[in-house]
Amino acid sequence: MNYVEGPEIRDTKAPSGPIEERWDKRKFQARLVNPANRRKLHIIVVGTGLAGGSAAATLGELGYNVKSFCYQDSPRRAHSIAAQGGINAAKNYRGDGDSIYRLFYDTVKGGDFRARESNVYRLAQVSVNIIDQAVAQGVPFAREYGGLLDTRSFGGAQVSRTFYARGQTGQQLLLGAYQALERQIAAGTVQMFARHEMLDLIVSGGRARGIIVRDMVTGEIERHFADAVVLATGGYGNVFYLSTNAKGCNTTAIWRAHERGAYFANPCYTQIHPTCIPVSGEYQSKLTLMSESLRNDGRVWVPLRKGDNRAPGDIPEEERDYYLERIYPSFGNLVPRDIASRAAKNVCDEGRGVGPGGLGVYLDFSDAIRRLGREAVEKKYGNLFEMYERITGENPYEVPMRIYPAVHYTMGGLWVDYDLQSTIPGLFVIGEANFSDHGANRLGASALMQGLADGYFILPTTIGDYLADGPFGEVDEAAVEEAETKVRTRIDRLMSVNGSRTPDSFHRELGRIMWDYCGMERTEESLRKALDLIPSLREEFWRDVKVTGTAEELNQVLEKAGRVADFFDLAELMCLDALHRTESCGGHFRAESQDADGEALRDDENFAYVAAWEYSPDGTPILHKEPLEYEYVKMTQRSYK
Amino acid sequence: MNLTLKVWRQKGPEDPGRMVTYQVKDVSPDMSFLEMLDVLNERLILEGEDPIAFDHDCREGICGMCGMVINGVPHGEQKATTTCQLHMRHFEDGATITIEPWRAAPFPVIKDLVVDRSAFDRIIQAGGFISVPAGSAPDAHSIPVRKEDADAAFDAATCIGCGACVAACPNGSASLFVAAKITHLSLLPQGQPERLSRAKAMVEQMDAEGFGGCTNTGECTAVCPKGIPLDTIARMNADYLKANAK
Amino acid sequence: MTATIERGTATAPVPSTTAAPPAPKPRKRPSGFLGSSTGKKVVMAVTGAIMVGFLVLHMLGNLKIFFGKDSFNEYAHALRTLAEPLLPYRTVLTVLEVILVASVVLHMWAAVSLARRARRARPVKYVAKKSQAGGYVAHIMRWGGVTIALFVVWHLLDLTFGVVNPKGYDSAPADRMIAGFQPGRWWVTLFYLVAVVMVGLHLRHGVWSALQTLGWARGGRRRMLQVLAGALAAVLVLGFLAPPLAITMGFKG
């Protein structure tokens, strides 16, 4: 697979001037839609996670006509619900030196200088409002005895700015957004379409004007129209088959939008989370994350000696290697995710890994239990410990946990400008589905922050500027027919192959290729190999996949097959992006680009840009570079030592 | 381990449905219950048969999408565990396992083990929220909340909306689900203004959906994967009574 | 699946300014407090409480038999002449009886309509069903209620109207009681015993359940109230069983 380079692109919506005034400036410049006109405007929101749920609710509240779609049976089930650890906000309630500027600084640095300064600063500004909003909605954040909110520290930060609700912060925030959404559904401003999957985007007159969806219960193909379309369909980590994503998470919505002209930015930036429960067998269907907050009190170690098979309790203190504390004395166990993950991979590659297959490191709480008492540890992490025990059958109060990195989040996504609008006018992309705020690595407790910032505060303002020109009139019938026919043809094709392999078996094999050759460590050789293997597997898929049943009923095999088919195309672009970016940065580690200590070595001279890929039907993607400039945070080599 | 499964198969809402027996071989004790079904489904697809449809998504016990009645118990006999977190090590080699969908008139079967739980969404629509537009909410620290209240509200708020309470209740009542939301919001100062109207509207919607009444058997809380306590129902009743006394 | 599925048309929907937003799914009209499941439970709780009050007084009266036949007969007479001469003979008792009968009827109405509601809520039964709560008592409430109702009919025929009592209607209450539980009529005592134990089980769940329905079993009070309900049930069972068992075993009054 090859690519050509197209002209540079710029974020023309980003205001200039002092960074702390830019968002206010944009809010003031953005045109408003008066309440009477909002009733004439229709918006489609796909996805009901933190970003989509909060956006649909807020747009409905503002008086727009909103249609909200999700593939689950209820909007409350979106995978934001599984986020455990917390949500960052620059409240400085602790007086420990936090500020909007520090959160901005930490996030830009944590993203390894591959995110836009303006976007990140706005995120840090808005973070403060999110906590207020959530508390007003009744989100039961953890509190102290004085009745005020509790916070904790999290990876990549030296201040305590993470608000949490035990180990279920994502659940509580999502239920807050879900309840706000249900309130709007009852009020009639939002129409909900659950068990509906978006299969294509309708572009008419150069604007995103609707979507084609499949009713997953009846199999009916439906067309829905609007004046703007918002995609909040999450990340594409499931391209690796095994990830911490929900089983249903997929790339279909953003990939189809990409095929319709939305640029895909930085697809190779994948976050591998350091604390997941290791794989236990071939049949494994997904990986389970253990919250990063565990690294606050747990200590990560492996045996000093290679092939040390003793039980953890039998290994004396002096024969253990607390490698994070050793290599990164100032951040210790709280180094950012990409660094912790790679360090775990390195010690396992040295043959010092623990557990089956040597793919694991210990996360040990015995010190914390001695220091704080079992009860205090149970209070903080009880539900996580229970979950660990349910899955592994081991009691983490007695035996240290075994953890290993797993795919968790994708920083890449559809390219958007400061207004969160993609390269297709009228197509807005929010939450994990866009690429905007995390650069090459996301810090812990920042995904919830970004999803809610986009949905509650940013999109509802910026979309107004676009809609001020609407309503946009009739949708071109030919464009609709073309999109619907494309969807139907594809389904017919999947149904008619009738081969000998299940969609899951292809997905598993694709995931294996991606993990082995485009995973935690990438080389030119491995990526070329992947680019060699993927097309032939895709070819085999379209020749030999087996889909049972019919398309006119609830058919989970068909759903799966359609998603896997899109993962093939995305996987190829990811590998191409990873191949072209010969530097290491954040979650993207090219073995060819490391310093003497084995740390990621950026190449700011050649790669300080966003790689935005344009789809080309002939199979040769076009690369557009958006240069990144840093006026406030000086680009330095990240150091957590 | 080898198992015999008796699974409810139903092609669609109109199909009367029946139990079908399957043999599953070489199940690893480390598999989750759903992974065991995945293995069976892979085999069924290759044999050209329709695989068993079941709802699932996060597979880490929090989304509330999965749920089946296993050997007569919603989510199986393992306490405080969703179906996706149930592991095969809790079953014996050679065992026979019956698997059925949630059974309740307000949860009609869509296919096999997949049921329609939109009744729960409509109950939330009736009042399971605090009305606050996104804008400038007061500073989060402006209203302190007693830690005990915040913790109790959290305990109720952990409900994942899976519907196991309804499936377990001999009356097919949704009281635990409704009470969990009412309790969550009524324990917080932010939830006070709408407290009584919320309780009234939600209980009425629960009735309108066709759920049964509560007879305090405690079956719901016994199978609840999040262990929502029975006193939430007392709180719901108290709020509902107060709302009607007005 | 939420809401109805509305297929878009081929042209963009551009409603006029006056068009109202789509109406939410119409809700079934709630049929008022007594029509709601919780309302019926409240009826059940309140009428149940009245009956429990009656049972406590009834039991105390029964125990008077241990103070001699005269004591018992005087008590029976006093019930009828309560508040005389201010009110005519049997006024208070009749009023109490009306309240009691009304309670029984309402209690049964609520039970039947809730049971029917429950049956409608689960039209397809489980092939396998296993209780997890471990409280079998809660599951036999309806059967217990039916048993108790049947017993009350017999009990009235026996000791109130004397129809099936060896002494007949025109006899002193204490004589009817002693004659009714003679050793030769052990089966009457046995029936009585079964029914009273049923009442006990009914109350063990019922009393707590009523408090829960009325919203008092909140916070940490649940365990304590459950213990209290059990204790009350035990006292009533013992208090009701003492006279007939003593008579059957030879107590002459």
Side-chain angles (χ1 to χ4, degrees):
Chain A
M1 195 178 191
N2 233 323
Y3 71 92
V4 291
E5 209 176 314
E8 272 189 4
I9 52 168
R10 296 274 172 174
D11 175 6
T12 53
K13 304 277 180 47
S16 52
I19 197 158
E20 57 280 357
E21 290 168 17
R22 288 181 193 169
W23 176 227
D24 282 338
K25 200 165 154 188
R26 181 71 194 129
K27 274 196 285 189
F28 183 71
Q29 283 169 352
R31 288 167 298 165
L32 298 174
V33 181
N34 85 53
N37 287 343
R38 285 182 215 148
R39 284 199 291 274
K40 299 185 216 161
L41 292 159
H42 294 248
I43 304 173
I44 282 171
V45 182
V46 188
T48 58
L50 285 176
S54 60
T58 308
L59 294 169
E61 178 98 45
L62 285 171
Y64 295 107
N65 290 295
V66 180
K67 282 183 175 181
S68 169
F69 295 81
C70 69
Y71 71 78
Q72 298 91 342
D73 74 327
S74 161
R76 67 180 292 150
R77 316 230 188 263
H79 199 53
S80 304
I81 203 153
Q84 298 169 352
I87 176 165
N88 285 334
K91 281 283 197 187
N92 192 29
Y93 280 159
R94 299 253 159 208
D96 56 0
D98 199 9
S99 64
I100 289 171
Y101 198 88
R102 185 174 295 280
L103 175 55
F104 155 70
Y105 176 87
D106 285 350
T107 308
V108 170
K109 179 183 169 200
D112 217 357
F113 303 94
R114 289 296 174 263
R116 291 185 193 137
E117 277 190 334
S118 300
N119 283 53
V120 176
Y121 194 88
R122 173 176 67 183
L123 179 66
Q125 274 176 309
V126 170
S127 70
V128 175
N129 305 82
I130 297 171
I131 302 300
D132 299 341
Q133 173 71 14
V135 166
Q137 281 176 341
V139 171
F141 283 122
R143 286 179 185 265
E144 296 181 317
Y145 283 100
L148 300 181
L149 294 166
D150 194 12
T151 53
R152 58 185 172 200
S153 47
F154 232 66
Q158 285 168 315
V159 292
S160 178
R161 65 158 78 99
T162 305
F163 295 79
Y164 66 100
R166 237 167 280 176
Q168 282 147 262
T169 318
Q171 182 200 24
Q172 294 309 317
L173 289 168
L174 182 67
L175 292 182
Y178 159 73
Q179 287 162 204
L181 176 62
E182 292 295 341
R183 183 164 83 92
Q184 293 307 315
I185 294 171
T189 57
V190 179
Q191 239 187 314
M192 186 68 222
F193 298 84
R195 291 198 199 269
H196 278 67
E197 182 161 31
M198 168 178 161
L199 294 181
D200 210 343
L201 180 75
I202 299 169
V203 181
S204 156
R207 297 176 190 272
R209 293 301 310 278
I211 56 174
I212 305 285
V213 296
R214 179 172 178 270
D215 178 330
M216 293 157 76
V217 174
T218 63
E220 208 173 326
I221 304 297
E222 300 170 8
R223 333 154 138 194
H224 295 269
F225 304 108
D227 297 292
V229 176
V230 180
L231 296 186
T233 54
Y236 48 86
N238 270 351
V239 67
F240 290 89
Y241 186 72
L242 286 180
S243 83
T244 64
N245 285 186
K247 289 296 284 176
C249 294
N250 65 80
T251 189
T252 294
I254 55 170
W255 189 259
R256 300 296 169 86
H258 174 58
E259 286 184 351
R260 291 273 170 207
Y263 293 1
F264 207 124
N266 302 330
C268 79
Y269 289 165
T270 322
Q271 176 157 87
I272 316 273
H273 196 291
T275 51
C276 298
I277 300 176
V279 177
S280 70
E282 260 308 299
Y283 48 82
Q284 187 110 14
S285 63
K286 80 153 269 155
L287 294 172
T288 305
L289 174 86
M290 301 306 295
S291 168
E292 175 160 334
S293 63
L294 290 168
R295 286 200 275 144
N296 271 327
D297 289 305
R299 298 178 67 197
V300 178
W301 64 276
V302 289
L304 212 62
R305 226 160 17 84
K306 228 161 103 164
D308 189 339
N309 288 328
R310 286 176 292 177
D314 296 340
I315 302 178
E317 206 54 36
E318 60 277 11
E319 291 177 44
R320 300 176 174 191
D321 178 13
Y322 293 92
Y323 59 90
L324 288 178
E325 296 167 28
R326 174 172 57 82
I327 309 174
Y328 308 101
S330 77
F331 277 71
N333 292 298
L334 287 176
V335 289
R337 292 175 174 177
D338 53 337
I339 291 179
S341 289
R342 215 166 39 252
K345 179 186 183 328
N346 290 341
V347 294
C348 291
D349 287 352
E350 287 164 21
R352 299 196 286 145
V354 297
L359 291 177
V361 299
Y362 289 124
L363 179 61
D364 197 337
F365 283 86
S366 45
D367 273 1
I369 292 172
R370 256 196 306 278
R371 182 162 45 92
L372 308 162
R374 186 184 153 130
E375 206 181 309
V377 171
E378 200 174 328
K379 263 214 176 94
K380 260 177 152 164
Y381 308 114
N383 61 331
L384 297 169
F385 278 37
E386 270 168 39
M387 185 157 94
Y388 181 84
E389 187 171 358
R390 262 200 297 274
I391 293 170
T392 62
E394 291 175 359
N395 179 353
Y397 292 103
E398 281 150 22
V399 191
M401 285 182 181
R402 281 177 300 109
I403 53 164
Y404 196 66
V407 175
H408 179 54
Y409 187 91
T410 48
M411 280 74 67
L414 292 186
W415 185 91
V416 289
D417 60 18
Y418 191 73
D419 280 1
L420 305 178
Q421 186 167 216
S422 72
T423 46
I424 302 176
L427 179 71
F428 292 78
V429 189
I430 58 177
E432 191 181 346
N434 75 22
F435 89 106
S436 67
D437 297 352
H438 306 297
N441 173 55
R442 181 175 65 75
L443 289 181
S446 288
L448 303 187
M449 174 170 68
Q450 186 221 338
L452 290 178
D454 287 359
Y456 279 132
F457 299 106
I458 300 171
L459 177 85
T461 307
T462 58
I463 203 171
D465 186 60
Y466 174 78
L467 290 172
D469 290 329
F472 298 109
E474 293 204 354
V475 180
D476 176 23
E477 177 66 26
V480 181
E481 281 297 327
E482 190 266 329
E484 188 175 327
T485 309
K486 193 173 152 204
V487 165
R488 287 186 189 278
T489 312
R490 192 178 163 92
I491 289 174
D492 290 345
R493 205 173 147 207
L494 285 169
M495 295 302 306
S496 62
V497 177
N498 199 21
S500 64
R501 284 185 66 179
T502 63
D504 247 9
S505 77
F506 282 106
H507 193 183
R508 232 176 255 272
E509 196 175 330
L510 174 67
R512 191 77 223 199
I513 293 172
M514 292 302 285
W515 180 250
D516 287 347
Y517 304 121
C518 189
M520 259 188 287
E521 187 175 301
R522 300 149 175 188
T523 62
E524 174 162 357
E525 192 195 344
S526 74
L527 292 164
R528 288 202 186 280
K529 173 130 192 175
L531 282 170
D532 197 37
L533 292 171
I534 296 166
S536 61
L537 188 63
R538 174 173 47 211
E539 189 272 326
E540 188 186 343
F541 173 87
W542 284 106
R543 188 164 39 79
D544 201 22
V545 72
K546 188 174 181 75
V547 179
T548 52
T550 68
E552 289 78 39
E553 60 176 332
L554 177 69
N555 188 338
Q556 294 172 325
V557 190
L558 174 64
E559 292 161 19
K560 187 71 205 250
R563 294 168 191 169
V564 174
D566 286 327
F567 277 135
F568 281 118
D569 298 343
L570 166 73
E572 234 182 340
L573 187 65
M574 283 174 75
C575 293
L576 185 68
D577 186 41
L579 182 64
H580 111 280
R581 192 173 282 275
T582 54
E583 64 160 354
S584 294
C585 60
H588 169 63
F589 188 79
R590 281 289 297 262
E592 300 93 335
S593 179
Q594 50 182 311
D595 66 15
D597 297 332
E599 300 293 343
L601 193 62
R602 283 199 325 267
D603 177 357
D604 292 333
E605 202 165 312
N606 294 306
F607 288 100
Y609 64 79
V610 174
W613 297 89
E614 182 184 350
Y615 179 81
S616 155
D618 67 10
T620 309
I622 303 155
L623 171 66
H624 300 272
K625 294 176 178 173
E626 180 203 334
L628 291 167
E629 279 135 28
Y630 292 87
E631 297 170 56
Y632 291 86
V633 187
K634 206 172 131 259
M635 286 174 109
T636 52
Q637 195 64 22
R638 261 190 328 162
S639 169
Y640 292 93
K641 297 196 167 170
Chain B
M1 54 204 279
N2 299 322
L3 300 163
T4 304
L5 303 185
K6 292 187 169 165
V7 187
W8 181 262
R9 301 303 308 266
Q10 183 175 340
K11 278 191 148 324
E14 305 306 323
D15 182 41
R18 67 205 165 96
M19 298 297 283
V20 178
T21 305
Y22 299 96
Q23 305 294 332
V24 194
K25 293 199 171 65
D26 301 324
V27 173
S28 154
D30 286 330
M31 277 182 186
S32 73
F33 198 84
L34 297 185
E35 283 166 352
M36 183 271 295
L37 287 178
D38 287 344
V39 169
L40 171 61
N41 274 345
E42 290 282 290
R43 202 187 78 201
L44 290 177
I45 296 171
L46 293 181
E47 288 168 3
E49 249 191 86
D50 220 12
I52 301 160
F54 59 89
D55 267 334
H56 65 103
D57 204 21
C58 77
R59 295 210 180 186
E60 41 190 283
I62 195 74
C63 75
M65 188 118 168
C66 69
M68 39 192 94
V69 177
I70 300 166
N71 286 336
V73 183
H75 293 306
E77 277 189 78
Q78 191 71 13
K79 290 277 172 225
T81 303
T82 55
T83 303
C84 63
Q85 293 287 285
L86 178 64
H87 280 68
M88 297 315 291
R89 64 180 80 95
H90 300 295
F91 293 86
E92 274 171 27
D93 189 20
T96 298
I97 304 173
T98 60
I99 307 174
E100 296 173 79
W102 287 173
R103 293 278 185 216
F107 288 171
V109 173
I110 294 173
K111 185 178 182 180
D112 298 338
L113 305 171
V114 176
V115 300
D116 177 357
R117 284 170 291 198
S118 54
F120 273 10
D121 290 328
R122 290 189 293 274
I123 291 173
I124 298 295
Q125 279 161 34
F129 46 74
I130 292 172
S131 302
V132 42
S136 33
D139 185 87
H141 268 183
S142 60
I143 307 173
V145 180
R146 275 190 347 134
K147 182 173 168 53
E148 293 77 7
D149 290 342
D151 287 351
F154 176 85
D155 287 339
T158 55
C159 169
I160 57 174
C162 64
C165 46
V166 175
C169 178
N171 305 308
S173 171
S175 289
L176 196 66
F177 167 78
V178 179
K181 188 45 62 194
I182 288 176
T183 300
H184 159 211
L185 298 176
S186 81
L187 279 170
L188 296 171
Q190 290 83 359
Q192 295 312 310
E194 294 165 293
R195 177 174 174 178
L196 299 185
S197 58
R198 173 187 309 122
K200 191 158 187 288
M202 290 180 75
V203 168
E204 280 167 3
Q205 186 62 31
M206 165 175 76
D207 280 355
E209 295 290 345
F211 291 102
C214 171
T215 56
N216 304 317
T217 62
E219 294 291 342
C220 49
T221 182
V223 302
C224 175
K226 297 293 154 190
I228 307 284
L230 215 49
D231 14 332
T232 55
I233 297 183
R235 190 169 290 277
M236 167 180 83
N237 291 338
D239 282 1
Y240 181 71
L241 283 183
K242 246 183 253 162
N244 275 286
K246 277 201 165 175
Chain C
M1 294 192 313
T2 314
T4 48
I5 292 159
E6 217 183 55
R7 290 204 44 173
T9 51
T11 53
V14 187
S16 67
T17 31
T18 50
K25 194 181 154 97
R27 255 195 268 154
K28 263 194 227 164
R29 241 183 96 76
S31 42
F33 179 69
L34 289 183
S36 72
S37 57
T38 310
K40 283 174 185 155
K41 289 291 293 173
V42 169
V43 168
M44 208 133 179
V46 171
T47 55
I50 292 169
M51 290 189 279
V52 169
F54 160 74
L55 283 179
V56 170
L57 294 177
H58 186 356
M59 178 196 75
L60 292 174
N62 283 6
L63 291 173
K64 290 209 177 280
I65 195 78
F66 292 115
F67 298 97
K69 285 185 187 179
D70 293 344
S71 164
F72 187 79
N73 287 336
E74 277 163 25
Y75 155 72
H77 182 69
L79 277 181
R80 284 157 182 80
T81 55
L82 215 60
E84 260 187 69
L86 195 64
L87 296 169
Y89 181 70
R90 232 181 170 287
T91 309
V92 174
L93 188 61
T94 308
V95 168
L96 290 176
E97 278 169 351
V98 168
I99 293 175
L100 201 57
V101 169
S103 295
V104 170
V105 170
L106 284 172
H107 200 78
M108 282 166 52
W109 163 77
V112 168
S113 85
L114 281 167
R116 288 178 54 190
R117 190 182 176 86
R119 218 180 19 250
R120 277 199 307 274
R122 177 154 303 133
V124 185
K125 302 277 173 266
Y126 288 108
V127 173
K129 187 76 181 79
K130 208 171 193 177
S131 169
Q132 292 295 292
Y136 70 97
V137 183
H139 295 274
I140 58 167
M141 290 301 279
R142 282 165 197 154
W143 290 113
V146 172
T147 314
I148 294 162
L150 288 175
F151 168 74
V152 167
V153 172
W154 164 266
H155 188 63
L156 292 173
L157 291 176
D158 183 6
L159 297 173
T160 306
F161 303 112
V163 180
V164 294
N165 190 282
K167 293 278 178 184
Y169 181 67
D170 292 321
S171 53
D175 290 338
R176 283 205 294 277
M177 184 174 185
I178 288 175
F181 294 112
Q182 281 307 300
R185 281 164 56 96
W186 59 269
W187 47 275
V188 175
T189 311
L190 186 67
F191 183 26
Y192 190 91
L193 184 133
V194 169
V196 167
V197 168
M198 252 334 178
V199 170
L201 294 179
H202 200 79
L203 291 191
R204 205 187 98 192
H205 178 71
V207 169
W208 170 75
S209 183
L211 295 169
Q212 167 90 352
T213 299
L214 296 173
W216 296 339
R218 285 205 308 261
R221 276 182 280 181
R222 183 159 61 94
R223 278 245 70 82
M224 184 190 74
L225 290 175
Q226 273 172 326
V227 169
L228 277 181
L232 178 65
V235 167
L236 281 170
V237 168
L238 291 176
F240 273 113
L241 285 184
L245 286 178
I247 294 166
T248 307
M249 287 188 289
F251 176 71
K252 302 275 184 229

